[in-house]
Amino acid sequence: MTALVERPGMAAPSRLGRFAALVAVADPTVRESVTRTLRMLGAVHVEHASSVAQARSLARSGPRSLFIADAGLPDGSGAALVSELRSAGWNRCVVLSSNADPFAVRGAVAAGVRCYLVTTRPEGSGLEARSGESGVDGLSEREIEVLQHVADGRSNKDTGALLGLSALTVKSHLARIARKLGTGDRAEMVAICLRANVIQ
């Protein structure tokens, strides 16, 4: 099931003809599915990124016809990245998210997102741990420490300094946490662990 919030004047990909796209989605299964759909709609060139950093690197060569980003990437916000790219001339941007919260939608639209697609995954997709205890139970002591600092609003650099780790190591911990909890959105990871009383 999907819910779509679209701004007036948003041109659907199907009306773009032959086009190029950049897809920033961490989950390889979702990324492949999005790519197949884009090719069916006429995409002749689709580039892939699994993080904000990779997407920024690919985006340096200039705007594509369409940019699709997961709202919660392992190293940051897809919606915030959309805001950056729109300032650089990327006019058609879509955010994918499993979060239908009105505040999240409003924040994405305010960031310049023209299309916010809320998705739900079928049962058995491997991401159901986000609402269960198994994903939380799988977190290591170090991962819980990292999440506590994230909950306190600290950056990767600040978290690393406090834990004696590099910012890159903190980023790696967050990527593993994202896989275990089924979300790369920091706020959602924190919310899951707060509900489970893993962090305070």
Side-chain angles (χ1 to χ4, degrees):
M1 179 183 294
T2 61
L4 183 65
V5 174
E6 187 174 335
R7 281 186 172 181
M10 170 64 180
S14 59
R15 296 201 297 270
L16 294 175
R18 296 170 67 81
F19 63 97
L22 172 58
V23 177
V25 175
D27 187 325
T29 302
V30 175
R31 195 165 59 240
E32 290 170 11
S33 177
V34 170
T35 299
R36 283 195 302 271
T37 300
L38 290 175
R39 293 200 184 283
M40 289 173 60
L41 292 171
V44 293
H45 186 54
V46 182
E47 292 178 290
H48 303 108
S50 58
S51 67
V52 170
Q54 288 179 357
R56 282 197 185 115
S57 179
L58 290 170
R60 291 194 187 106
S61 59
R64 316 294 189 277
S65 304
L66 181 66
F67 174 56
I68 297 179
D70 198 341
L73 290 163
D75 58 343
S77 165
L81 180 58
V82 163
S83 183
E84 290 180 30
L85 295 188
R86 279 184 56 76
S87 298
W90 295 64
N91 295 320
R92 295 186 177 91
C93 301
V94 176
V95 167
L96 304 178
S97 177
S98 59
N99 185 6
D101 179 78
F103 291 103
V105 176
R106 193 175 298 124
V109 172
V113 175
R114 293 194 173 212
C115 183
Y116 188 99
L117 185 64
V118 179
T119 63
T120 57
R121 299 179 185 279
E123 293 185 7
S125 63
L127 297 182
E128 57 271 14
R130 68 193 304 154
S131 59
E133 295 295 318
S134 59
V136 173
D137 290 342
L139 295 176
S140 69
E141 183 177 342
R142 177 62 85 185
E143 288 165 349
I144 291 172
E145 287 180 319
V146 168
L147 267 180
Q148 183 64 64
H149 286 293
V150 170
D152 292 337
R154 295 188 177 92
S155 66
N156 289 3
K157 182 178 179 180
D158 290 340
T159 297
L162 289 168
L163 296 178
L165 305 171
S166 69
L168 184 61
T169 299
V170 172
K171 178 181 172 182
S172 297
H173 280 304
L174 289 171
R176 285 193 292 272
I177 293 167
R179 287 193 294 271
K180 290 178 180 180
L181 299 183
T183 177
D185 184 272
R186 289 182 176 226
E188 198 167 357
M189 286 191 288
V190 168
I192 291 169
C193 291
L194 283 172
R195 287 196 297 267
N197 294 319
V198 172
I199 59 174
Q200 299 178 350

